[in-house]
Amino acid sequence: MEDEKPFTSSQNGETIDLGIDFSTTEEIKVPEKLIDQVIGQEHAVEVIKTAAGQRRHVLLIGEPGTGKSMLGQAMAELLPTENLEDILVFPNPEDENMPKIKTVPACQGKRIVEKYREKAKSQESIKSYLLLAVVFMVMMAVMIDYNTTNFLMGLFVIILTMMVLSNMRMRTSVLVPKLLIDNCGRRKAPFVDATGAHAGALLGDVRHDPFQSGGLGTPAHERVEPGMIHRANKGVLFIDEIATLSLKMQQSLLTAMQEKKFPITGQSELSSGAMVRTEPVPCDFILVAAGNLDTVDKMHPALRSRIRGYGYEVYMRTTMPDTLENRRKLVQFVAQEVKRDGKIPHFTREAVEEIVREAQRRGGRKGHLTLRLRDLGGIVRAAGDIAVKKGKKYVEREDVLEAMRMAKPLEKQLADWYIENKKEYQVIKTEGGEIGRVNGLAVIGEQSGIVLPIEAVVAPAASKEEGKIIVTGKLGEIAKEAVQNVSAIIKRYKGEDISRYDIHVQFLQTYEGVEGDSASISVATAVISALEEVPIRQDVAMTGSLSVRGEVLPIGGATPKIEAAIEAGIKTVIIPKSNEKDVFLGPDKAEKINIIPVETIDQVLEIALEDSKKKEELLRKIRESLPLRKA
Ligand SMILES: Nc1ncnc2c1ncn2[C@@H]1O[C@H](COP(=O)(O)OP(=O)(O)OP(=O)(O)O)[C@@H](O)[C@H]1O
């Protein structure tokens, strides 16, 4: 029971209880089966086990790097191997363009081809002896009565014999079938990853033959190439981003799933291969399709319905509760990543603690650990590489910390560059007070924060009828929405309509990829400051969403945003109270910043505005007017 209780507090540099006694991950046993190595996706694991037993299709929806392809591979391991088959393609004497297909138990395919080859070879040797005999006889005849006519005659006979024999040779080799799918010696059912495959690779193809019309060509059956659907026969066909397949391909995939057989034909209409169409080739695979939520919308409806009707849909989790049991699983994860990589040393306990701390940080929510394990595995490998370079026997804590500094995702590198750049041009101010200018916070990608300065100017409306909200810089829509929300608040405390003013809002130097939806308390603060002419403290940064009732609502990415503020040299950060427990900072960082959680807009203004009589008056009016003001 104790193991299942989630931890709620941040560990800020203390020793982390990992729920297991060990000094290095060398002592941790890694399960043999891949399915037992899947961490934190218990529901998906259950479904995969059931689906493997019942041969059902599965649709896995979720974020990248959460184990979708790993589950597909794990499923292949669970499938029986006794009924694996070899597939052969034979020439069809009645219709050359419709090669015949034959299925035999695994390993028999090779033997059959071998037998045909032997037969063809013995015919070959008879022909060679025949040719030798003819040459010998002609030479004898020419030698007995040598003259030019006889010599030329002899040459003609030899050439004629060679031509006849070579024509016979072609006919004999035509009879050797081609082994299309060879499953001999396989210890696991096939797992075929068809992500991003083009039509020929997925469905099979027949190669073009330029000599075909001259009768010199390669026989049709030899030009037949199996598709991934055929290679996956009796195994798993895994397709990530399934919606990126063309509708036509999805339709063919559906047919293949229904029929469990699919003929192979040339995919290019201009190729001579397009004339060839084999008998249906077995493709009795289990489809494990993957993607994100967008995939569900874009997928061929009939294909999705097939999976829903004859299989399961699973939503992959992105976090798991921070319990002792799950921390133990992360220890196992580190051990298994080390084993899988094969080139890096094992981790010390302290190094694993640092990985778990990073998992908490990336979890982004209180009491949660991230399940984007591919990214976490990236840090494990980078730390391992660092330890290898230093010639260490084990990966230590400092190596993990160095890896986290080094292995920054692209977005983080970009965010750092913004900060440097903005500092250089003094776009980010970290001291003094300014009217209408606030340090907002935003994220790029998922893990990287930036300081996003916002400026507002308020002037009496130029037009008599109505004022305008003029937004410059990217994120225009977000700013407009934020201004609309703050206008309700202003109306209440000021008793006047904001439409009497033109309001200009600018997000200073924003770039592609910046997510600004959590900037609404910043916009509100900038607008109120501009309207009331009360300066905003520039050593304060803030993040939070604002409701029309003046509540400060939770946002994502609290930790990276605070880290960005620290890097920019800001001293105080305002965050929504409900995000308080999502903050995971190391002790070195935590001491550099004062984090103030707030619930309402007046609390924001109290901290962010410079002290003055005007400010006191403003706060009094706002507090009286706010419907949900908490005492
Ligand atoms: N749940 C998990 N348990 C253990 N390891 C995991 C898990 N998820 C991811 N990993 C690690 O990350 C690697 C990559 O994961 P995988 O390729 O399965 O992710 P995915 O969800 O298929 O991502 P994508 O959609 O980008 O292909 C795995 O080989 C494994 O090392």
Side-chain angles (χ1 to χ4, degrees), residues 448-515:
S448 312
I450 57 161
V451 175
L452 180 65
I454 299 166
E455 283 193 350
V457 174
V458 176
S463 133
K464 278 216 177 75
E465 296 90 56
E466 205 179 335
K468 284 197 201 104
I469 301 168
I470 301 139
V471 188
T472 43
K474 285 180 182 141
L475 310 173
E477 283 311 306
I478 288 156
K480 275 194 183 147
E481 212 177 292
V483 174
Q484 250 125 34
N485 283 2
V486 74
S487 70
I489 295 164
I490 293 171
K491 204 173 192 173
R492 226 183 254 124
Y493 85 79
K494 215 171 163 61
E496 72 181 0
D497 206 324
I498 201 154
S499 64
R500 289 183 46 217
Y501 297 93
D502 282 340
I503 300 175
H504 299 251
V505 179
Q506 184 180 17
F507 287 77
L508 296 185
Q509 293 201 347
T510 44
Y511 302 84
E512 221 50 75
V514 175
E515 312 261 340

Side-chain angles (χ1 to χ4, degrees), residues 120-410:
K121 236 197 207 151
S122 64
Q123 284 185 18
E124 288 294 306
S125 40
I126 291 173
K127 278 188 268 169
S128 307
Y129 288 132
L130 218 73
L131 183 64
L132 262 177
V134 171
V135 172
F136 181 74
M137 275 165 19
V138 170
M139 273 171 63
M140 291 301 279
V142 171
M143 271 161 66
I144 290 168
D145 184 11
Y146 183 81
N147 59 43
T148 317
T149 324
N150 277 357
F151 176 78
L152 288 177
M153 279 278 286
L155 211 59
F156 177 71
V157 171
I158 292 175
I159 290 172
L160 195 70
T161 319
M162 276 170 74
M163 275 173 67
V164 170
L165 288 178
S166 98
N167 195 22
M168 277 171 68
R169 179 180 296 145
M170 266 177 63
R171 247 187 272 143
T172 49
S173 67
V174 161
L175 295 175
V176 180
K178 175 173 173 174
L179 184 54
L180 215 50
I181 303 289
D182 180 9
N183 273 325
C184 194
R186 233 181 216 291
R187 275 178 289 146
K188 275 186 223 160
F191 168 82
V192 180
D193 186 346
T195 305
H198 56 83
L202 183 70
L203 307 169
D205 207 347
V206 180
R207 276 180 287 123
H208 177 62
D209 183 0
F211 303 114
Q212 211 207 10
S213 50
L216 296 165
T218 317
H221 80 282
E222 279 185 15
R223 289 184 282 125
V224 174
E225 299 294 341
M228 284 166 162
I229 56 169
H230 307 112
R231 293 185 198 280
N233 185 35
K234 305 284 175 204
V236 171
L237 181 73
F238 176 79
I239 308 183
D240 201 355
E241 305 295 345
I242 181 131
T244 58
L245 290 186
S246 68
L247 282 185
K248 194 167 160 238
M249 273 165 81
Q250 292 189 47
Q251 183 68 56
S252 304
L253 193 65
L254 180 64
T255 313
M257 283 157 71
Q258 279 162 344
E259 307 289 328
K260 300 187 174 29
K261 281 176 184 169
F262 198 81
I264 300 175
T265 182
Q267 297 292 337
S268 161
E269 279 171 27
L270 299 175
S271 134
S272 61
M275 282 158 45
V276 179
R277 188 183 179 84
T278 66
E279 287 179 346
V281 184
C283 59
D284 183 10
F285 56 82
I286 299 177
L287 177 70
V288 177
N292 48 29
L293 270 179
D294 211 29
T295 306
V296 179
D297 288 339
K298 295 198 181 126
M299 208 171 147
H300 194 308
L303 183 58
R304 172 148 186 238
S305 140
R306 177 87 197 172
I307 298 178
R308 226 175 338 171
Y310 294 86
Y312 299 91
E313 292 183 333
V314 182
Y315 189 75
M316 303 287 290
R317 287 160 51 190
T318 45
T319 63
M320 60 181 175
D322 185 6
T323 59
L324 271 188
E325 158 135 34
N326 286 338
R327 287 182 185 179
R328 261 200 298 268
K329 286 187 185 161
L330 279 185
V331 177
Q332 178 195 317
F333 169 72
V334 175
Q336 81 202 14
E337 289 294 299
V338 169
K339 191 174 164 200
R340 185 169 303 162
D341 186 83
K343 294 191 288 278
I344 56 172
H346 275 284
F347 278 51
T348 63
R349 185 186 179 90
E350 293 70 34
V352 178
E353 278 177 27
E354 219 44 62
I355 296 283
V356 172
R357 205 190 316 281
E358 183 63 9
Q360 290 176 333
R361 208 181 76 89
R362 290 175 178 226
R365 276 201 294 157
K366 57 187 165 199
H368 282 258
L369 297 165
T370 185
L371 279 175
R372 290 168 198 268
L373 292 181
R374 185 185 9 227
D375 292 354
L376 204 64
I379 293 183
V380 169
R381 280 180 288 281
D385 290 347
I386 289 168
V388 168
K389 215 160 101 192
K390 291 183 188 162
K392 287 188 182 174
K393 187 158 183 244
Y394 295 109
V395 179
E396 293 171 352
R397 179 171 181 267
E398 57 177 38
D399 305 320
V400 178
L401 293 176
E402 199 176 326
M404 287 193 290
R405 275 195 300 274
M406 227 178 70
K408 284 183 201 164
L410 206 61

Side-chain angles (χ1 to χ4, degrees), residues 437-608:
R437 184 185 199 288
V438 70
N439 284 321
L441 294 168
V443 282
I444 315 177
E446 280 148 19
Q447 298 293 335
S448 312
I450 57 161
V451 175
L452 180 65
I454 299 166
E455 283 193 350
V457 174
V458 176
S463 133
K464 278 216 177 75
E465 296 90 56
E466 205 179 335
K468 284 197 201 104
I469 301 168
I470 301 139
V471 188
T472 43
K474 285 180 182 141
L475 310 173
E477 283 311 306
I478 288 156
K480 275 194 183 147
E481 212 177 292
V483 174
Q484 250 125 34
N485 283 2
V486 74
S487 70
I489 295 164
I490 293 171
K491 204 173 192 173
R492 226 183 254 124
Y493 85 79
K494 215 171 163 61
E496 72 181 0
D497 206 324
I498 201 154
S499 64
R500 289 183 46 217
Y501 297 93
D502 282 340
I503 300 175
H504 299 251
V505 179
Q506 184 180 17
F507 287 77
L508 296 185
Q509 293 201 347
T510 44
Y511 302 84
E512 221 50 75
V514 175
E515 312 261 340
D517 53 346
S518 53
S520 53
I521 62 161
S522 319
V523 174
T525 305
V527 170
I528 292 177
S529 155
L531 193 66
E532 303 295 337
E533 297 183 330
V534 183
I536 299 169
R537 282 171 53 189
Q538 299 299 302
D539 60 345
V540 173
M542 60 182 72
T543 177
S545 252
L546 182 66
S547 79
V548 276
R549 287 143 64 96
E551 301 153 289
V552 177
L553 305 174
I555 45 87
T559 306
K561 284 175 180 171
I562 295 172
E563 284 174 346
I566 296 171
E567 276 168 50
I570 280 166
K571 298 284 173 303
T572 302
V573 170
I574 300 172
I575 62 165
K577 177 129 181 77
S578 34
N579 284 118
E580 198 177 358
K581 297 275 166 49
D582 303 343
V583 180
F584 295 99
L585 294 174
D588 46 332
K589 284 186 182 161
E591 67 187 19
K592 289 190 190 146
I593 195 118
N594 182 20
I595 302 168
I596 309 183
V598 297
E599 286 175 286
T600 47
I601 184 73
D602 59 302
Q603 293 174 329
V604 175
L605 296 171
E606 174 149 27
I607 301 154

